[in-house]
Amino acid sequence: MTSTKAPALERTIPPSELDIGTPVEWMVDPDRRETILGVTYEFSQTGERKTVWYTPNKRRAKRFVVVTDLQAS
């Protein structure tokens, strides 16, 4: 049974230090534009960009098209 009087977990990182990436580019399959192969995230505090690949092997796709607006693709 779960206790409702258990204290909440304390934050270890202040909210001002959280740097959640915002998607800025999408890498899509050139033949099937509805298939997203990867996303580039930009972090607001550091300006760093990181690309995450959603391919089966989690590596850079051999063929892709970069789009900055998913609605336009």
Side-chain angles (χ1 to χ4, degrees), residues 28-41:
V28 297
D29 186 322
D31 300 322
R32 294 181 16 225
R33 295 280 179 124
E34 68 277 1
T35 303
I36 296 174
L37 301 173
V39 178
T40 299
Y41 296 92

Side-chain angles (χ1 to χ4, degrees), residues 20-61:
I20 299 171
T22 304
V24 292
E25 294 177 337
W26 292 264
M27 281 59 76
V28 297
D29 186 322
D31 300 322
R32 294 181 16 225
R33 295 280 179 124
E34 68 277 1
T35 303
I36 296 174
L37 301 173
V39 178
T40 299
Y41 296 92
E42 183 174 73
F43 297 91
S44 60
Q45 292 181 6
T46 62
E48 178 185 6
R49 286 186 171 202
K50 176 161 176 54
T51 301
V52 177
W53 292 98
Y54 298 109
T55 56
N57 61 5
K58 305 292 184 211
R59 293 187 182 155
R60 180 183 176 102

